[in-house]
């Protein structure tokens, strides 16, 4: 038999005579065995073996940390003297302030951007992988 030839095997049938789906059963069993084997490997060896995946995961985690810090810190800038000097408007007494309408717009703009980004990410992930 040549290298590319495959031998026709009988297809298993169910009780009603219909064909039972068993495609790639060997592949599934091999994946299960590999997963069980990897579960017993020490963490130090896993980190050295899969360092690109670990690095990628850590970078994504740091991006999430920074997103959380951004949401929490943006509201603190409204009272910062340098921010008020650059972006504040004088009130009736001449004191610099950022109006409440601008504060809410900036705070809500961050949340709206997160929602749009998440929706766009879902589409791009399903389209390009």
């Amino acid at each position: 038999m040549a290298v590319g030839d495959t031998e026709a095997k009988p297809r298993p049938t169910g009780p009603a005579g219909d064909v039972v789906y068993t495609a790639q059963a060997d592949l599934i069993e091999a994946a299960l065995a590999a997963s069980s084997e990897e579960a017993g490997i020490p963490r130090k060896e896993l980190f050295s073996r899969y360092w690109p995946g670990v690095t990628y995961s850590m970078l994504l985690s740091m991006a999430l940390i920074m997103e959380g810090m951004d949401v929490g810190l943006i509201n603190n800038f409204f009272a910062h003297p340098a921010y008020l000097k650059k972006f504040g408007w004088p009130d009736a007494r001449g004191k610099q302030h950022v109006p409440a309408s601008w504060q809410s717009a900036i705070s809500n703009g961050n949340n709206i951007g997160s929602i749009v980004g998440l929706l766009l990410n879902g589409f791009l992930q399903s389209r390009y992988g």
Side-chain angles (χ1 to χ4, degrees), residues 25-72:
D26 294 337
L27 181 63
I28 294 170
E29 289 174 3
L32 183 61
S35 177
S36 298
E37 182 182 328
E38 279 187 346
I41 298 175
R43 284 196 174 101
K44 188 174 182 179
E45 184 178 340
L46 285 172
F47 284 130
S48 64
R49 187 184 295 183
Y50 301 114
W51 68 268
V54 170
T55 304
Y56 185 72
S57 176
M58 288 173 55
L59 289 175
L60 282 178
S61 296
M62 287 195 319
L64 290 172
I65 292 168
M66 291 307 296
E67 173 65 23
M69 286 184 66
D70 182 38
V71 171

Short mmCIF file of all heavy atoms in Angstrom, two decimals, residues 25-72:
data_model
loop_
_atom_site.label_atom_id
_atom_site.label_comp_id
_atom_site.label_asym_id
_atom_site.label_seq_id
_atom_site.Cartn_x
_atom_site.Cartn_y
_atom_site.Cartn_z
N ALA A 25 -11.65 10.02 16.92
CA ALA A 25 -11.66 9.48 18.28
C ALA A 25 -10.24 9.26 18.77
O ALA A 25 -9.94 9.49 19.94
CB ALA A 25 -12.46 8.19 18.33
N ASP A 26 -9.34 8.84 17.88
CA ASP A 26 -7.94 8.64 18.26
C ASP A 26 -7.29 9.96 18.67
O ASP A 26 -6.51 10.02 19.62
CB ASP A 26 -7.16 8.01 17.11
CG ASP A 26 -7.62 6.60 16.79
OD1 ASP A 26 -8.21 5.97 17.69
OD2 ASP A 26 -7.39 6.15 15.66
N LEU A 27 -7.63 11.01 17.94
CA LEU A 27 -7.09 12.33 18.25
C LEU A 27 -7.57 12.82 19.62
O LEU A 27 -6.80 13.37 20.41
CB LEU A 27 -7.48 13.33 17.17
CG LEU A 27 -6.96 14.75 17.31
CD1 LEU A 27 -5.44 14.78 17.25
CD2 LEU A 27 -7.55 15.63 16.24
N ILE A 28 -8.82 12.59 19.91
CA ILE A 28 -9.38 13.00 21.21
C ILE A 28 -8.72 12.23 22.34
O ILE A 28 -8.37 12.80 23.38
CB ILE A 28 -10.90 12.83 21.21
CG1 ILE A 28 -11.54 13.80 20.21
CG2 ILE A 28 -11.48 13.03 22.60
CD1 ILE A 28 -13.00 13.55 19.95
N GLU A 29 -8.53 10.93 22.15
CA GLU A 29 -7.88 10.12 23.18
C GLU A 29 -6.43 10.55 23.38
O GLU A 29 -5.94 10.58 24.51
CB GLU A 29 -7.96 8.65 22.81
CG GLU A 29 -9.36 8.08 22.92
CD GLU A 29 -9.46 6.66 22.42
OE1 GLU A 29 -8.43 6.08 22.03
OE2 GLU A 29 -10.58 6.13 22.42
N ALA A 30 -5.73 10.89 22.30
CA ALA A 30 -4.35 11.36 22.42
C ALA A 30 -4.28 12.69 23.16
O ALA A 30 -3.38 12.91 23.97
CB ALA A 30 -3.71 11.47 21.04
N ALA A 31 -5.22 13.59 22.88
CA ALA A 31 -5.25 14.89 23.56
C ALA A 31 -5.52 14.71 25.05
O ALA A 31 -4.93 15.39 25.89
CB ALA A 31 -6.30 15.79 22.93
N LEU A 32 -6.41 13.79 25.39
CA LEU A 32 -6.71 13.52 26.79
C LEU A 32 -5.50 12.95 27.52
O LEU A 32 -5.19 13.35 28.64
CB LEU A 32 -7.90 12.56 26.90
CG LEU A 32 -8.39 12.24 28.30
CD1 LEU A 32 -8.87 13.51 28.99
CD2 LEU A 32 -9.49 11.21 28.24
N ALA A 33 -4.78 12.06 26.84
CA ALA A 33 -3.57 11.48 27.45
C ALA A 33 -2.50 12.55 27.64
O ALA A 33 -1.84 12.59 28.67
CB ALA A 33 -3.04 10.34 26.57
N ALA A 34 -2.33 13.42 26.64
CA ALA A 34 -1.32 14.50 26.76
C ALA A 34 -1.69 15.47 27.87
O ALA A 34 -0.83 15.94 28.61
CB ALA A 34 -1.19 15.23 25.43
N SER A 35 -2.97 15.77 28.01
CA SER A 35 -3.42 16.68 29.06
C SER A 35 -3.18 16.07 30.44
O SER A 35 -2.73 16.77 31.36
CB SER A 35 -4.91 16.99 28.88
OG SER A 35 -5.37 17.81 29.91
N SER A 36 -3.45 14.80 30.57
CA SER A 36 -3.20 14.12 31.85
C SER A 36 -1.71 14.10 32.18
O SER A 36 -1.31 14.26 33.32
CB SER A 36 -3.75 12.70 31.80
OG SER A 36 -5.14 12.72 31.61
N GLU A 37 -0.89 13.91 31.15
CA GLU A 37 0.57 13.88 31.36
C GLU A 37 1.08 15.26 31.77
O GLU A 37 1.92 15.37 32.66
CB GLU A 37 1.26 13.43 30.07
CG GLU A 37 2.76 13.31 30.19
CD GLU A 37 3.40 12.89 28.88
OE1 GLU A 37 2.77 12.15 28.11
OE2 GLU A 37 4.54 13.34 28.64
N GLU A 38 0.57 16.33 31.13
CA GLU A 38 1.02 17.68 31.46
C GLU A 38 0.59 18.10 32.86
O GLU A 38 1.22 18.95 33.47
CB GLU A 38 0.51 18.68 30.44
CG GLU A 38 1.31 18.71 29.17
CD GLU A 38 0.86 19.83 28.25
OE1 GLU A 38 -0.23 20.40 28.47
OE2 GLU A 38 1.60 20.11 27.30
N ALA A 39 -0.49 17.55 33.36
CA ALA A 39 -0.97 17.92 34.69
C ALA A 39 0.03 17.52 35.77
O ALA A 39 0.06 18.12 36.85
CB ALA A 39 -2.32 17.27 34.96
N GLY A 40 0.88 16.53 35.50
CA GLY A 40 1.84 16.08 36.49
C GLY A 40 3.20 16.75 36.40
O GLY A 40 4.08 16.48 37.20
N ILE A 41 3.39 17.64 35.43
CA ILE A 41 4.69 18.32 35.25
C ILE A 41 4.81 19.45 36.28
O ILE A 41 3.87 20.21 36.47
CB ILE A 41 4.81 18.87 33.82
CG1 ILE A 41 4.76 17.73 32.81
CG2 ILE A 41 6.10 19.67 33.65
CD1 ILE A 41 4.76 18.19 31.37
N PRO A 42 5.96 19.60 36.92
CA PRO A 42 6.16 20.69 37.89
C PRO A 42 6.04 22.07 37.21
O PRO A 42 6.34 22.23 36.03
CB PRO A 42 7.58 20.48 38.40
CG PRO A 42 7.95 19.09 38.04
CD PRO A 42 7.13 18.72 36.86
N ARG A 43 5.61 23.05 37.99
CA ARG A 43 5.38 24.39 37.43
C ARG A 43 6.65 25.01 36.85
O ARG A 43 6.60 25.69 35.84
CB ARG A 43 4.81 25.30 38.51
CG ARG A 43 3.37 25.03 38.77
CD ARG A 43 2.74 26.18 39.55
NE ARG A 43 1.33 25.95 39.67
CZ ARG A 43 0.74 25.49 40.75
NH1 ARG A 43 1.47 25.18 41.80
NH2 ARG A 43 -0.56 25.32 40.80
N LYS A 44 7.77 24.79 37.49
CA LYS A 44 9.02 25.38 37.01
C LYS A 44 9.33 24.88 35.60
O LYS A 44 9.74 25.65 34.73
CB LYS A 44 10.17 25.03 37.97
CG LYS A 44 11.45 25.74 37.66
CD LYS A 44 12.49 25.48 38.74
CE LYS A 44 13.75 26.25 38.43
NZ LYS A 44 14.77 26.05 39.44
N GLU A 45 9.13 23.59 35.37
CA GLU A 45 9.37 23.04 34.04
C GLU A 45 8.32 23.55 33.04
O GLU A 45 8.64 23.82 31.88
CB GLU A 45 9.33 21.52 34.08
CG GLU A 45 9.67 20.88 32.74
CD GLU A 45 9.69 19.36 32.80
OE1 GLU A 45 9.80 18.80 33.89
OE2 GLU A 45 9.58 18.76 31.72
N LEU A 46 7.07 23.72 33.50
CA LEU A 46 6.05 24.26 32.61
C LEU A 46 6.39 25.68 32.17
O LEU A 46 6.22 26.03 31.01
CB LEU A 46 4.69 24.25 33.31
CG LEU A 46 4.00 22.90 33.43
CD1 LEU A 46 2.77 23.02 34.30
CD2 LEU A 46 3.64 22.37 32.07
N PHE A 47 6.88 26.51 33.12
CA PHE A 47 7.25 27.88 32.77
C PHE A 47 8.41 27.90 31.79
O PHE A 47 8.44 28.71 30.86
CB PHE A 47 7.61 28.69 34.02
CG PHE A 47 6.43 29.13 34.80
CD1 PHE A 47 6.37 28.92 36.16
CD2 PHE A 47 5.36 29.76 34.20
CE1 PHE A 47 5.28 29.32 36.91
CE2 PHE A 47 4.26 30.17 34.92
CZ PHE A 47 4.22 29.95 36.28
N SER A 48 9.39 27.02 31.97
CA SER A 48 10.52 27.01 31.04
C SER A 48 10.13 26.43 29.69
O SER A 48 10.65 26.86 28.67
CB SER A 48 11.69 26.22 31.64
OG SER A 48 11.34 24.87 31.80
N ARG A 49 9.19 25.50 29.68
CA ARG A 49 8.77 24.90 28.41
C ARG A 49 7.84 25.80 27.61
O ARG A 49 7.92 25.88 26.39
CB ARG A 49 8.06 23.57 28.70
CG ARG A 49 7.73 22.79 27.44
CD ARG A 49 6.95 21.54 27.73
NE ARG A 49 7.71 20.57 28.50
CZ ARG A 49 7.26 19.36 28.83
NH1 ARG A 49 6.05 18.99 28.46
NH2 ARG A 49 8.01 18.55 29.52
N TYR A 50 6.95 26.49 28.32
CA TYR A 50 5.94 27.31 27.65
C TYR A 50 6.12 28.79 27.96
O TYR A 50 5.14 29.52 28.14
CB TYR A 50 4.55 26.86 28.07
CG TYR A 50 4.26 25.42 27.74
CD1 TYR A 50 4.09 24.49 28.75
CD2 TYR A 50 4.19 24.99 26.43
CE1 TYR A 50 3.82 23.16 28.45
CE2 TYR A 50 3.94 23.67 26.12
CZ TYR A 50 3.75 22.76 27.13
OH TYR A 50 3.50 21.46 26.82
N TRP A 51 7.35 29.30 27.98
CA TRP A 51 7.59 30.69 28.34
C TRP A 51 6.93 31.69 27.41
O TRP A 51 6.50 32.75 27.86
CB TRP A 51 9.08 30.97 28.49
CG TRP A 51 9.86 30.90 27.21
CD1 TRP A 51 10.49 29.82 26.69
CD2 TRP A 51 10.06 31.96 26.28
NE1 TRP A 51 11.06 30.14 25.50
CE2 TRP A 51 10.81 31.45 25.22
CE3 TRP A 51 9.66 33.30 26.24
CZ2 TRP A 51 11.17 32.22 24.12
CZ3 TRP A 51 10.04 34.06 25.14
CH2 TRP A 51 10.79 33.51 24.10
N PRO A 52 6.79 31.44 26.08
CA PRO A 52 6.08 32.43 25.27
C PRO A 52 4.62 32.60 25.69
O PRO A 52 4.11 33.72 25.75
CB PRO A 52 6.19 31.89 23.85
CG PRO A 52 7.36 30.97 23.85
CD PRO A 52 7.37 30.38 25.21
N GLY A 53 3.95 31.50 25.99
CA GLY A 53 2.56 31.58 26.43
C GLY A 53 2.42 32.26 27.77
O GLY A 53 1.49 33.04 28.00
N VAL A 54 3.36 32.00 28.67
CA VAL A 54 3.34 32.63 29.99
C VAL A 54 3.56 34.14 29.85
O VAL A 54 2.86 34.94 30.46
CB VAL A 54 4.41 32.00 30.91
CG1 VAL A 54 4.56 32.79 32.19
CG2 VAL A 54 4.06 30.55 31.21
N THR A 55 4.50 34.53 29.00
CA THR A 55 4.79 35.95 28.79
C THR A 55 3.59 36.66 28.18
O THR A 55 3.20 37.75 28.62
CB THR A 55 6.02 36.11 27.87
OG1 THR A 55 7.12 35.40 28.45
CG2 THR A 55 6.38 37.56 27.69
N TYR A 56 2.97 36.05 27.18
CA TYR A 56 1.80 36.64 26.54
C TYR A 56 0.67 36.80 27.54
O TYR A 56 0.00 37.84 27.58
CB TYR A 56 1.38 35.75 25.37
CG TYR A 56 0.26 36.29 24.54
CD1 TYR A 56 0.44 37.37 23.69
CD2 TYR A 56 -1.01 35.72 24.62
CE1 TYR A 56 -0.60 37.86 22.94
CE2 TYR A 56 -2.05 36.20 23.86
CZ TYR A 56 -1.84 37.27 23.02
OH TYR A 56 -2.88 37.75 22.28
N SER A 57 0.45 35.79 28.36
CA SER A 57 -0.61 35.85 29.36
C SER A 57 -0.33 36.95 30.39
O SER A 57 -1.26 37.67 30.80
CB SER A 57 -0.73 34.50 30.05
OG SER A 57 -1.67 34.55 31.07
N MET A 58 0.92 37.11 30.79
CA MET A 58 1.25 38.14 31.76
C MET A 58 1.05 39.54 31.17
O MET A 58 0.56 40.44 31.85
CB MET A 58 2.70 37.97 32.24
CG MET A 58 2.86 36.78 33.17
SD MET A 58 4.57 36.39 33.60
CE MET A 58 5.15 37.93 34.26
N LEU A 59 1.41 39.73 29.90
CA LEU A 59 1.21 41.03 29.27
C LEU A 59 -0.27 41.37 29.15
O LEU A 59 -0.67 42.52 29.38
CB LEU A 59 1.87 41.05 27.89
CG LEU A 59 3.39 41.08 27.90
CD1 LEU A 59 3.94 40.96 26.48
CD2 LEU A 59 3.90 42.35 28.55
N LEU A 60 -1.09 40.39 28.79
CA LEU A 60 -2.53 40.65 28.73
C LEU A 60 -3.09 40.98 30.12
O LEU A 60 -3.95 41.84 30.26
CB LEU A 60 -3.26 39.45 28.15
CG LEU A 60 -3.18 39.30 26.63
CD1 LEU A 60 -3.91 38.04 26.19
CD2 LEU A 60 -3.76 40.51 25.94
N SER A 61 -2.60 40.30 31.13
CA SER A 61 -3.06 40.57 32.49
C SER A 61 -2.67 41.98 32.93
O SER A 61 -3.44 42.66 33.59
CB SER A 61 -2.48 39.54 33.45
OG SER A 61 -2.96 38.26 33.15
N MET A 62 -1.47 42.42 32.55
CA MET A 62 -1.06 43.78 32.91
C MET A 62 -1.90 44.81 32.17
O MET A 62 -2.18 45.88 32.72
CB MET A 62 0.43 43.98 32.61
CG MET A 62 1.29 43.24 33.61
SD MET A 62 3.03 43.68 33.67
CE MET A 62 3.51 43.89 32.00
N ALA A 63 -2.33 44.51 30.95
CA ALA A 63 -3.22 45.43 30.24
C ALA A 63 -4.55 45.56 30.97
O ALA A 63 -5.11 46.66 31.06
CB ALA A 63 -3.44 44.94 28.81
N LEU A 64 -5.05 44.46 31.52
CA LEU A 64 -6.30 44.53 32.29
C LEU A 64 -6.12 45.31 33.58
O LEU A 64 -7.01 46.05 34.00
CB LEU A 64 -6.80 43.12 32.59
CG LEU A 64 -7.32 42.34 31.39
CD1 LEU A 64 -7.61 40.91 31.78
CD2 LEU A 64 -8.55 43.00 30.83
N ILE A 65 -4.96 45.17 34.19
CA ILE A 65 -4.68 45.94 35.41
C ILE A 65 -4.66 47.42 35.09
O ILE A 65 -5.24 48.24 35.81
CB ILE A 65 -3.34 45.49 36.04
CG1 ILE A 65 -3.47 44.07 36.59
CG2 ILE A 65 -2.90 46.46 37.13
CD1 ILE A 65 -2.15 43.44 36.97
N MET A 66 -4.02 47.78 33.98
CA MET A 66 -3.95 49.18 33.60
C MET A 66 -5.33 49.73 33.24
O MET A 66 -5.62 50.90 33.49
CB MET A 66 -2.98 49.38 32.43
CG MET A 66 -1.53 49.15 32.82
SD MET A 66 -1.00 50.11 34.24
CE MET A 66 -1.15 51.76 33.63
N GLU A 67 -6.19 48.91 32.64
CA GLU A 67 -7.55 49.36 32.34
C GLU A 67 -8.29 49.68 33.63
O GLU A 67 -8.98 50.68 33.73
CB GLU A 67 -8.30 48.28 31.55
CG GLU A 67 -9.76 48.56 31.33
CD GLU A 67 -10.04 49.78 30.47
OE1 GLU A 67 -9.17 50.18 29.69
OE2 GLU A 67 -11.14 50.34 30.61
N GLY A 68 -8.14 48.84 34.63
CA GLY A 68 -8.79 49.10 35.91
C GLY A 68 -8.23 50.33 36.60
O GLY A 68 -8.98 51.10 37.21
N MET A 69 -6.94 50.55 36.50
CA MET A 69 -6.34 51.74 37.11
C MET A 69 -6.79 52.99 36.38
O MET A 69 -7.02 54.03 37.00
CB MET A 69 -4.81 51.63 37.08
CG MET A 69 -4.27 50.65 38.09
SD MET A 69 -2.49 50.61 38.13
CE MET A 69 -2.11 52.24 38.73
N ASP A 70 -6.94 52.91 35.07
CA ASP A 70 -7.38 54.06 34.29
C ASP A 70 -8.77 54.51 34.72
O ASP A 70 -9.02 55.70 34.90
CB ASP A 70 -7.37 53.70 32.81
CG ASP A 70 -7.75 54.87 31.93
OD1 ASP A 70 -7.36 56.00 32.25
OD2 ASP A 70 -8.45 54.65 30.92
N VAL A 71 -9.66 53.55 34.90
CA VAL A 71 -11.02 53.89 35.32
C VAL A 71 -11.01 54.52 36.71
O VAL A 71 -11.73 55.48 36.98
CB VAL A 71 -11.91 52.62 35.30
CG1 VAL A 71 -13.26 52.89 35.93
CG2 VAL A 71 -12.08 52.12 33.88
N GLY A 72 -10.17 54.01 37.59
CA GLY A 72 -10.12 54.55 38.94
C GLY A 72 -9.39 55.87 39.06
O GLY A 72 -9.74 56.71 39.88
#
